Amino acid sequence: MDPSAGQPGSIFLTHTKLQDTGSSGFVAEPELKVCGVCIPSERLIHLPNPQEIPTDPYILFETIEKRRTIRSYSKEPLMRWELSLMLHYTQGVSGDGPDHFRTVPSAGALHPFETYIVVNNVEGLVRGIYRYLPLDHALVQETCHVGDLEAISSACKRPELVTGSAITFIWIAVSDRILWKFGARGWRYLFIEAGHICQNLYLVATALECGACAIGSYHDDKINCALGIDGIKQFCIYMASVGKRKE
């Protein structure tokens, strides 16, 4: 008997195999398939239009070569236009078509993620937790059923990555928004796509002479509780801290 058969990874791989017939794990098609939608009571905080932000030309190959994980940041604030670019190139809408294509790939163009940011030190934004609305390219500040910065940082194995950053990205997977179409296989896509998103953040941060650090060591129950999500239909799938590099 294969000694790895009962291991969590082996079970996950078995239950998420691609099935030509009799696929399982499907859920009902959700009424709302797009993440990052504003509710009427929320006030939009508009961000600079990424297409109107003058940026220095940067060769992609050079950016990839320069990419490093940076875990300690200066106290210099992040500019709002820099945050705008980071949000746009990780989950922003690309093009004007009705399909709302994004700047990252996603199975079925479903993009089943909510983007939260913990703001510590950003020009013109008060400290707090915000949610990104890709279709509006705007933020809303989250105040209901959401923990504070200390609750988020204490859920991480290295809390200083959050407390010492200018911002921390938190990506929330909304499982029903992919399982309705792909069934159990959709679970794999969630984790694959989270990697696409975070890699884009690394590259944009590098091009802006900032530093980024992916965060995978956090207590799932604590972080989900702090964000007011159930940990099943919505759960924290990945995090990353960002700040200005030290001289």
Side-chain angles (χ1 to χ4, degrees):
M1 185 177 182
D2 184 353
S4 67
Q7 295 296 318
S10 182
I11 294 170
F12 175 79
L13 293 174
T14 297
H15 285 279
T16 59
K17 285 182 178 178
L18 184 64
Q19 304 290 335
D20 292 330
T21 59
S23 297
S24 62
F26 287 89
V27 299
E29 184 173 347
E31 289 185 18
L32 182 62
K33 299 187 189 125
V34 180
C35 287
V37 175
C38 181
I39 60 176
S41 61
E42 293 178 315
R43 182 178 68 87
L44 294 183
I45 302 169
H46 290 283
L47 295 165
N49 184 338
Q51 308 305 325
E52 297 176 358
I53 297 172
T55 55
D56 294 329
Y58 221 94
I59 304 302
L60 176 61
F61 304 128
E62 294 179 2
T63 308
I64 294 172
E65 286 287 345
K66 288 181 65 177
R67 186 219 61 80
R68 295 292 185 272
T69 292
I70 307 296
R71 298 177 176 86
S72 182
Y73 313 105
S74 75
K75 296 187 182 300
E76 183 182 353
L78 199 71
M79 297 294 100
R80 192 185 287 209
W81 66 265
E82 293 173 313
L83 173 60
S84 174
L85 290 176
M86 291 178 189
L87 288 166
H88 174 70
Y89 288 112
T90 52
Q91 277 291 278
V93 174
S94 175
D96 300 321
D99 296 316
H100 303 302
F101 289 126
R102 304 287 180 87
T103 52
V104 290
S106 177
L110 295 176
H111 302 282
F113 300 96
E114 296 280 0
T115 300
Y116 286 75
I117 57 170
V118 179
V119 170
N120 282 327
N121 192 12
V122 176
E123 172 206 32
L125 290 179
V126 299
R127 295 173 78 242
I129 300 174
Y130 297 77
R131 185 166 59 93
Y132 177 52
L133 311 180
L135 301 186
D136 300 290
H137 192 59
L139 297 170
V140 291
Q141 187 166 10
E142 294 287 339
T143 57
C144 184
H145 307 299
V146 176
D148 55 14
L149 184 150
E150 287 70 26
I152 300 294
S153 62
S154 65
C156 298
K157 189 174 181 179
R158 295 189 59 177
E160 72 276 8
L161 291 175
V162 177
T163 58
S165 68
I167 53 172
T168 298
F169 284 73
I170 305 175
W171 294 290
I172 306 301
V174 185
S175 57
D176 283 359
R177 292 183 185 164
I178 198 163
L179 298 182
W180 74 268
K181 186 167 186 176
F182 294 107
R185 187 72 175 183
W187 290 107
R188 288 206 202 193
Y189 298 156
L190 286 172
F191 291 93
I192 292 169
E193 292 176 19
H196 299 330
I197 296 169
C198 192
Q199 178 67 2
N200 269 24
L201 178 63
Y202 263 108
L203 296 179
V204 176
T206 301
L208 294 174
E209 302 295 337
C210 294
C213 178
I215 302 173
S217 295
Y218 50 81
H219 297 282
D220 300 80
D221 291 342
K222 288 183 179 180
I223 199 81
N224 291 329
C225 180
L227 294 170
I229 54 180
D230 63 12
I232 300 174
K233 288 183 177 295
Q234 294 189 54
F235 61 93
C236 175
I237 195 168
Y238 214 178
M239 297 173 60
S241 59
V242 177
K244 292 294 185 74
R245 290 177 182 243
K246 292 181 176 179
E247 295 295 333

